[in-house]
Amino acid sequence: GAVVSQHPSWVICKSGTSVKIECRSLDFQATTMFWYRQFPKQSLMLMATSNEGSKATYEQGVEKDKFLINHASLTLSTLTVTSAHPEDSSFYICSARRLAGYEQYFGPGTRLTVT
Amino acid sequence: DQQVKQNSPSLSVQEGRISILNCDYTNSMFDYFLWYKKYPAEGPTFLISISSIKDKNEDGRFTVFLNKSAKHLSLHIVPSQPGDSAVYFCAAREVSNYQLIWGAGTKLIIKP
């Protein structure tokens, strides 16, 4: 159990366009979902935490108007990168956690390339 | 200020030997410590965890040791196998908000 999927796994878009990434918990209810970004050779950087039905909490330095997060159900969270620029190119990973759990279950990640 | 530190960016170990990955923390308000393994272009996968009230947890080839007085934990992998080559992250869960604080990762290379 505890499988998390992400879609798409790889996306290439043009500068100025918006891209939506989906994160789904397939076999459990995720009351909290997290979005991370990983730069090459660097650790995971937490971007935001979202609880189902409420607004996401963004980490310092993360633009909430640029990275729109929606967690409308207990199994789905979406991250929309608006007006993407080449510097937004990165590996985006989501994770999900059960209520009061401590483990986070990670999705396989989405490689975003902005040209 | 980094609360969870993995000071070794990489570690090379001979196949069959023991791999020891280290992690230090500076905050006492963590209740769980977790180790994750990550392959390139994939999400991290959970390996093993330990509660702050314990000092050892074992699962097959993986053992995690916690030394609270030294604010130090380590992951032992024995015997090391080629498939263990990956980046290993330690993470600590904050008591107040359940958020995970991540170390920078250690790249483990198992040599045949």
Side-chain angles (χ1 to χ4, degrees), chain B residues 72-84:
Chain B
H72 176 83
L73 66 153
S74 60
L75 173 68
H76 292 212
I77 306 173
V78 57
S80 301
Q81 299 174 354
D84 296 331

Side-chain angles (χ1 to χ4, degrees), chain A residues 44-57:
Chain A
L44 301 171
M45 185 194 82
L46 178 64
M47 298 174 66
T49 302
S50 72
N51 291 297
E52 185 264 339
S54 57
K55 289 185 179 180
T57 302

Side-chain angles (χ1 to χ4, degrees), chain B residues 28-100:
Chain B
S28 297
M29 301 306 288
F30 295 132
D31 62 349
Y32 272 97
F33 300 89
L34 303 88
W35 284 94
Y36 284 81
K37 176 180 179 180
K38 186 183 182 300
Y39 294 115
E42 291 185 13
T45 53
F46 172 75
L47 262 183
I48 191 169
S49 66
I50 188 167
S51 164
S52 60
I53 62 173
K54 303 220 169 149
D55 53 23
K56 179 182 175 182
N57 188 25
E58 192 172 351
D59 183 3
R61 295 186 300 116
F62 303 93
T63 304
V64 56
F65 294 93
L66 175 62
N67 182 335
K68 287 184 286 294
S69 61
K71 292 191 171 64
H72 176 83
L73 66 153
S74 60
L75 173 68
H76 292 212
I77 306 173
V78 57
S80 301
Q81 299 174 354
D84 296 331
S85 294
V87 177
Y88 289 78
F89 291 98
C90 77
R93 189 178 85 153
E94 288 188 315
V95 173
S96 58
N97 58 12
Y98 289 4
Q99 184 167 312
L100 288 184

Side-chain angles (χ1 to χ4, degrees), chain A residues 82-97:
Chain A
T82 62
S83 187
H85 290 286
E87 56 266 30
D88 299 325
S89 297
S90 190
F91 192 59
Y92 292 87
I93 308 172
C94 75
S95 70
R97 189 181 72 199

